[in-house]
Amino acid sequence: MTIPVALAALLAGCAAPMTDAVTRLDNRMAFAATVDQEQLQQQANALSRMARDLERRSRIKGAMTGAAVGCGLVLVSGSNAGKCVTGAAAGGAIGAVVGHHAGQRQVQKRVDLVSANALVRSLRGMTDQMDAITVSLPELLQEQDAELVDLAMRRDAGALSDAEYDAGVEAIRLSRAELAAALSASEDTARRARANMEEAAQQGQTGLDWHMLTTDNLVQDAQSARSEINLLG
């Protein structure tokens, strides 16, 4: 049976726009990101800031160092506190190691070179950020790898110019470089914080084992995440 000319024309007119629409839709949806790249970068930057806070909080307090060393990091009693603090001040450090009332009962106080509670706050924040990065980073890298393949295919098919292809690759390269830089900075800074904690422990402060172990884990996690990133160089 012969299809009426008008009906054939109508069908032909509908077919082409539908094909074009599907093609455009496929192009738009091919790399619909499941990972928010900007959010991931913000998390990496936050991790780096928290690492700096950790390093700062892990430094031995200068005002207490001389006093602590002068007292040998022992429990100082009211009877010898004056001598201890005087000796520390002579070494260039000022700070009360103990408080005591003259002629009253003895008061003892352990000297803490760093605030363990402050370190805990920084370490918990860093752990939360690192956990989020560990989950999202592999997914982002997979999406970018797929996009790189697509860019190459479209360039080879003549759908992209060389300049457009280069711009797409460069955008991915820059994204990865920023993430890698933030992770590397976090790793390096956390290492310094770990060294500060070790120094405090060597000078007599106790109770830092968990803090040092957690910092070690964060250093390893940041290093591992950084090693996953191919900088396309």
Side-chain angles (χ1 to χ4, degrees):
M1 182 177 71
T2 303
I3 299 177
V5 175
L7 179 58
L10 177 61
L11 292 174
C14 293
M18 180 61 70
T19 301
D20 291 342
V22 170
T23 300
R24 289 193 299 271
L25 180 62
D26 288 343
N27 287 337
R28 288 196 304 269
M29 297 299 291
F31 294 103
T34 59
V35 177
D36 189 328
Q37 178 178 321
E38 182 177 354
Q39 181 180 10
L40 182 57
Q41 183 64 54
Q42 290 173 352
Q43 291 170 336
N45 292 341
L47 179 69
S48 182
R49 288 195 303 271
M50 291 177 184
R52 292 195 296 272
D53 287 340
L54 178 69
E55 194 276 335
R56 175 177 55 80
R57 290 171 173 174
S58 67
R59 297 173 194 163
I60 294 177
K61 296 178 176 62
M64 297 179 65
T65 304
V69 173
C71 296
L73 286 178
V74 297
L75 296 178
V76 183
S77 66
S79 61
N80 63 15
K83 294 180 180 179
C84 173
V85 176
T86 300
I94 301 175
V97 183
V98 304
H100 74 93
H101 300 284
Q104 303 295 323
R105 65 184 179 83
Q106 294 181 341
V107 178
Q108 295 182 332
K109 182 179 180 182
R110 181 171 64 83
V111 176
D112 284 340
L113 297 176
V114 297
S115 171
N117 289 336
L119 296 181
V120 168
R121 290 192 293 272
S122 290
L123 288 168
R124 285 178 175 170
M126 289 181 67
T127 299
D128 289 342
Q129 294 295 342
M130 194 70 246
D131 287 346
I133 292 170
T134 299
V135 170
S136 299
L137 180 60
E139 297 180 13
L140 175 65
L141 295 177
Q142 288 177 3
E143 290 178 0
Q144 290 180 338
D145 286 342
E147 186 173 357
L148 289 169
V149 172
D150 180 71
L151 286 170
M153 291 177 61
R154 287 193 284 160
R155 178 200 57 189
D156 295 343
L160 283 181
S161 67
D162 288 341
E164 290 171 329
Y165 169 80
D166 291 341
V169 172
E170 184 62 18
I172 294 174
R173 180 183 291 111
L174 289 176
S175 166
R176 293 186 174 189
E178 290 178 4
L179 283 171
L183 289 169
S184 293
S186 298
E187 177 189 346
D188 293 341
T189 308
R191 286 186 190 278
R192 292 196 297 272
R194 175 61 168 80
N196 292 343
M197 295 179 211
E198 181 67 27
E199 182 180 358
Q202 289 175 352
Q203 292 196 26
Q205 182 164 349
T206 60
L208 294 178
D209 291 345
W210 177 86
H211 306 73
M212 290 189 286
L213 177 61
T214 302
T215 304
D216 286 339
N217 291 336
L218 286 166
V219 168
Q220 293 172 6
D221 289 344
Q223 183 182 41
S224 177
R226 165 62 187 86
S227 68
E228 293 181 17
I229 302 175
N230 180 351
L231 296 177
L232 309 176

